[in-house]
Amino acid sequence: MAREKIKIRRIDNIAARQVTFSKRRRGLLKKAEELSVLCDADVALIIFSATGKLFEYASSSMQELLGKYKHHSKNNLDKVDEPSLDLQLQESDEIRMGKELFDKNQELSHLHGEDLQGLALEELQRLETLLERGLHRVRRTKDERFEKLIASLHQKLINLNSNGKRPRTECDNLVINAEDQGQSSDSVICSCNSGPSPEDDCSDTSLRLALPFN
């Protein structure tokens, strides 16, 4: 015949409650001991009766087990307070990027010739080398741009000549200026073709001002 299940609730009768406590306490201590032996586990059991009487079981030293429990609880509490791994990585990246930004700004200030007092001789020499290399690259780029510009202008001049269009020269400008001032353009053209007289050191000025020669 199956045993009737007892409802888990407080036993009102004091005597029956005390008897049940004694039986179940012994069973609980026995189960704790069996668990320790069978599974090689550290088990500590503490029981206080309704009257305040202490009953305990420890598979080893109770003090050692309690110390182990406190240490384990403290570690769990610290882990709860610690930020997550993703947050730690993010903060680490922010710190690293902030340091890199500071270093780059400081290096830029040094390249501008600022804040050089705290630099050692080796750092100043390295900075000088960097500036020389940068200046060399700037000059090389400028020369390349000039060469491309000259080549482009030369090609345009060739295209104009091949199309029968001659670019306006300085003599053309002088003739136009002379005609605007009512002077003879032939004299100006002759002067341009013949070139300046060696004896006349102001011929170039007369040509530029479109004035008649003396």
Side-chain angles (χ1 to χ4, degrees), residues 26 46 75 155:
R26 288 193 297 268
I46 300 175
N75 289 339
Q155 185 63 39

Side-chain angles (χ1 to χ4, degrees), residues 120-186:
L121 180 59
E122 292 79 5
E123 294 175 335
L124 291 173
Q125 290 176 345
R126 184 183 64 85
L127 182 60
E128 182 181 9
T129 302
L130 290 176
L131 290 173
E132 289 177 352
R133 291 177 181 175
L135 182 60
H136 175 72
R137 288 193 293 267
V138 170
R139 288 174 176 171
R140 183 177 60 186
T141 303
K142 182 193 68 174
D143 293 340
E144 291 175 355
R145 298 284 178 85
F146 272 129
E147 291 176 358
K148 291 181 180 179
L149 180 60
I150 292 173
S152 176
L153 293 175
H154 183 65
Q155 185 63 39
K156 289 181 180 179
L157 180 60
I158 293 175
N159 294 336
L160 289 174
N161 291 333
S162 63
N163 294 331
K165 297 181 180 180
R166 182 171 56 87
R168 182 180 294 176
T169 62
E170 185 178 0
C171 288
D172 294 333
N173 294 328
L174 291 175
V175 171
I176 294 174
N177 292 333
E179 290 176 350
D180 291 340
Q181 295 179 9
Q183 299 177 6
S184 174
S185 60
D186 294 337

